[in-house]
Amino acid sequence: MTPPTTQVRTDRAAARSSDRRPILEIRDLAVDYGYGEDRVHALRGVNLTLHEGEVLGLAGESGCGKSTLVYGATRLLPPPGLISAGEVLYYPEDGAEPVDVLRLSDADLRAGRWQDIAVVFQGAMNSLNPVYRVGRQLMDAIKAHRRDSTSQEREERARELLDMVGIAPERIRSYPHQLSGGMRQRVMIAMALALEPRVLIMDEPTTALDVVMQRQILEQIQDLRDRLGFSVIFITHDVSLLVEVADRIAIMYAGEIVEEASGKQVYKEPRHPYSYGLLHSFPRCTARAVSCRASRARRRTCRTSPADARSGRGARTRCRSARRSTRSSSRRRSARSGAPSRACSTPRGTRSRPSSRSRRPGVDPACDDRSRSRGTGRRPRSGAGNSRRSPRTWPTVIG
Amino acid sequence: MSDEALDPAGSGGRADSAGRAGATSRKATRPTVARDDVVLEAVGLTKHFPLRGLRATGAVHAVDGIDLALRSGQVIALVGESGSGKSTVARLLARLYPQTAGTIRLHGEDVTAKRGAAFRRYARRVQMIFQDPFASLNPVHTVRYTLTRAVKIHKKGLSGAELEAALHALLERVQLNPDRFIDKFPHELSGGQRQRVAIARALAADPEVLLADEPISMLDVSIRIGILNLLQDLRDRLGIAILYITHDIASARYFADRTYVMYAGKPVEIGDSESVTQSPAHPYTQLLVRSAPDPEDLVSEERSGGRGEPPNMVNPPEGCRFSPRCPFATDVCRTATPPLLQIGTGRQVACWGYASRVDGGTDGLPASAELPELGDAAAPVTAATTTSEVTR
């Protein structure tokens, strides 16, 4: 049985990204944790392509494999993580043949790291060494890769980098504890940009920061991207943030990518039930948003552990629209790189519309309502009760 | 049944069984709480942390004069960026450290408890939930142990089947299946489940006030709403007063009845959550609302206008503390501290931009003072307001 393929309108952003040259291509990457019978399949054949100058957002909840994906692709995965299959192609700048990062020799890998692909690590606030001045830490990376540079040049460069991310160059002599959280975060970003990498991987770079600082840093990253032209893989669990910053968004769930499309598309018409749930799991600040989305935030949240998700679709245990057929069938996702794709056998909007849908178990009542009510701010009644009138009486969603 | 176990009215028997004069008299004097009664009140609460070190002088001005009234069955949100003193307020109210100035009143009585039995009596009524459920639960103890400790400390004399029933009731109250979770260790639980256990532990004391210090900021976006709904449910069913501390103004709008926006240790705007988020009056609140990620608003590509860093709290700026970052700031803002001006029913804002439109707003300012012009950014001032309320 073949799943109904969802043909989606490609809007400008998606079209643009498919025209671009790929820079990093992850093919069928599989990562296990542990060995033997008990191993957990943290990633199960993930395909993902990053194009030049693109911001690719990677979203999903904790434990879905977002970080594992990028650490696997950069060979930074600590044991017991084990890459069991796949290849990661990096396309060099001069247009030469792509190299497989997973099969590079240690020396080549070391030379390429930070130079080609740099990472801003999760919890960057705590990844600076507290006993060295930030300037020294900035210069370390430059020294390792540019052996022939003089210390004066390196210091010059470090000052320039700090200035670039909006920190006064005099701060080069500060210790990390003398900087605020946002400044430490920006030092980490400056450090990642020290060698002008072509790919910047940001693993939850703003999670620990408050919204004002988060906004400042995002704007700065966008400015720098426009100026320097690097590509970004941006990992976060906040999809609404991604909708704003990313050209393309890949939603991950239980070790696989369940939906991949342009940011606007994911927001306007999420096709995978999980993406929909993720998008609507939290209220926004705007007027309409609270009343309409909050009432629909009724996703079940028992997470599928990667260990459980060995057969069938990962999201199935939580999916409201799962059909029996999904249980035995394995993943189906059209993996044409660049094109929007979905891994759902019953994508949203393709289901039948029974008139009594809100009563029927197994059919997501929100899916059809949503397309109709969009733009009017009006929400037809659904099974969730009339919470439209009072946003404070949402049903208790999550048990 | 589970309701009964923690119902304030039905708890008299437990205190008697404790057989301690102090506990019994506390029960006797504990008033029945009606909705919207002020339970916990802070007046002019101030906390300065002295700098340590050989040659250090001065102090960090963490909180400077905040007035706060927590009412039963009401949620008050304290919103602000990191370092604005939100958590310090919660910790002061929990009596984790003494205040520099100001008073805390529980049902109108000054709270002076610092340690020992008096502090425990106070803690029984005012409980705190911490930000990080990964750190606030002891990793070497099971859920059963964690909760048993809390129950035994706050309700003396429970044992055997009674104790077991109390534990089950607590877990059910936070929507965890008792049989499944009671013997788990924290590492076997997800972040959301851990936070629920932490909430259950706070509820073990049968408190009147819950101080929730960023209870959801360490959790996944997808499970945050569950915790907020749980707290909301507790508020509605048990009539607990909740102080909800967050830096996410959108969640304050969803969850809280009233919102206090804090900046650099001072409240800059106070009002019901809906109007604070929908028509923010203070430039800082406006910046906060603009900064919240909002995919609905993709069309406006304009920048948030956020710049600068929070001020140094050892030497906070003269005048309005937001003035170094404020796009509207004038010389008045940099020299004179704006009072909280009443701009609507229950709405106050500490910004000179509203002074000319509020009666008595310009009192104490020289006539030549140039007030900031908020222009289109200004929130409407309703006609009903005639008084200005000046705080310390």
Side-chain angles (χ1 to χ4, degrees), chain A residues 61-62 180 186 210 212 215-216 219 223 237 240 244 267 282 285-286 290 293 299 301 392 394 398, chain B residues 81-82 220-222 224-225 229 251 253-254 256 278 288 291 293-296 303-304 307-309 325:
Chain A
E61 62 203 341
S62 332
S180 73
R186 282 186 276 188
D210 55 89
V212 178
R215 173 64 40 152
Q216 279 183 30
E219 285 174 0
D223 277 350
H237 57 230
S240 49
E244 286 189 41
Y267 178 65
F282 214 73
C285 231
T286 45
V290 158
R293 302 157 165 231
R299 213 161 44 77
T301 50
R392 295 195 195 290
W394 297 356
I398 285 133
Chain B
E81 63 196 343
S82 329
D220 237 58
V221 172
S222 54
R224 287 181 176 180
I225 204 79
N229 283 339
S251 73
R253 179 190 181 203
Y254 166 52
Q278 293 314 297
L288 212 56
S291 301
D294 186 5
E296 293 273 337
R303 287 303 166 98
S304 67
R307 60 198 164 93
E309 294 268 326
R325 292 168 78 180

Side-chain angles (χ1 to χ4, degrees), chain A residues 349-370:
Chain A
T350 61
R351 282 159 230 148
S352 57
R353 297 181 178 186
S355 54
S356 59
R357 57 179 178 269
S358 53
R359 304 265 177 274
R360 285 231 327 222
V363 176
D364 184 352
C367 64
D368 299 327
D369 295 351
R370 185 177 155 74

Side-chain angles (χ1 to χ4, degrees), chain B residues 35 73 75 231-240 255 257:
Chain B
R35 282 285 145 109
V75 178
L231 289 173
Q232 210 161 41
D233 184 51
L234 293 173
R235 174 198 70 179
D236 295 339
R237 280 197 303 144
L238 309 180
I240 297 179
F255 179 47
D257 302 291

Side-chain angles (χ1 to χ4, degrees), chain A residues 60-62 66 180 182-183 186 207-216 219-220 222-223 226 237-241 243-244 264 267-268 274 277-279 281-291 293-294 297 299 301 303 318 374 391-399, chain B residues 80-82 175 190-191 196 216-230 232-233 235-236 244 247-257 273-274 277-278 284 287-298 302-310 325:
Chain A
E61 62 203 341
S62 332
K66 322 182 282 285
S180 73
M183 285 163 93
R186 282 186 276 188
T207 303
L209 302 174
D210 55 89
V211 282
V212 178
M213 195 48 67
Q214 165 173 301
R215 173 64 40 152
Q216 279 183 30
E219 285 174 0
Q220 202 140 49
Q222 276 170 329
D223 277 350
D226 293 346
H237 57 230
D238 191 349
V239 194
S240 49
L241 190 72
V243 173
E244 286 189 41
K264 216 180 283 172
Y267 178 65
K268 294 275 185 208
Y274 180 70
L278 205 59
L279 265 171
S281 58
F282 214 73
R284 305 274 156 257
C285 231
T286 45
R288 220 187 90 216
V290 158
S291 53
R293 302 157 165 231
R299 213 161 44 77
T301 50
R303 204 170 29 208
R318 282 159 76 175
R374 175 148 287 288
R392 295 195 195 290
T393 54
W394 297 356
T396 309
V397 192
I398 285 133
Chain B
E81 63 196 343
S82 329
Q175 293 155 19
S190 72
R196 281 166 200 269
I216 55 166
S217 67
M218 300 288 284
L219 304 179
D220 237 58
V221 172
S222 54
I223 51 177
R224 287 181 176 180
I225 204 79
I227 297 290
L228 285 192
N229 283 339
L230 169 68
Q232 210 161 41
D233 184 51
R235 174 198 70 179
D236 295 339
Y244 171 62
H247 59 241
D248 179 8
I249 199 162
S251 73
R253 179 190 181 203
Y254 166 52
F255 179 47
D257 302 291
S273 303
E274 196 62 23
T277 47
Q278 293 314 297
Y284 175 65
L287 173 65
L288 212 56
V289 170
R290 263 202 312 276
S291 301
D294 186 5
E296 293 273 337
D297 198 24
L298 280 182
E302 69 181 87
R303 287 303 166 98
S304 67
R307 60 198 164 93
E309 294 268 326
R325 292 168 78 180

Side-chain angles (χ1 to χ4, degrees), chain B residues 91-113:
Chain B
R91 280 153 193 262
L92 286 173
L93 290 177
R95 305 291 297 162
L96 296 186
Y97 29 64
Q99 68 268 36
T100 310
T103 48
I104 297 172
R105 295 198 197 109
L106 186 64
H107 290 295
E109 288 170 33
D110 278 13
V111 177
T112 50

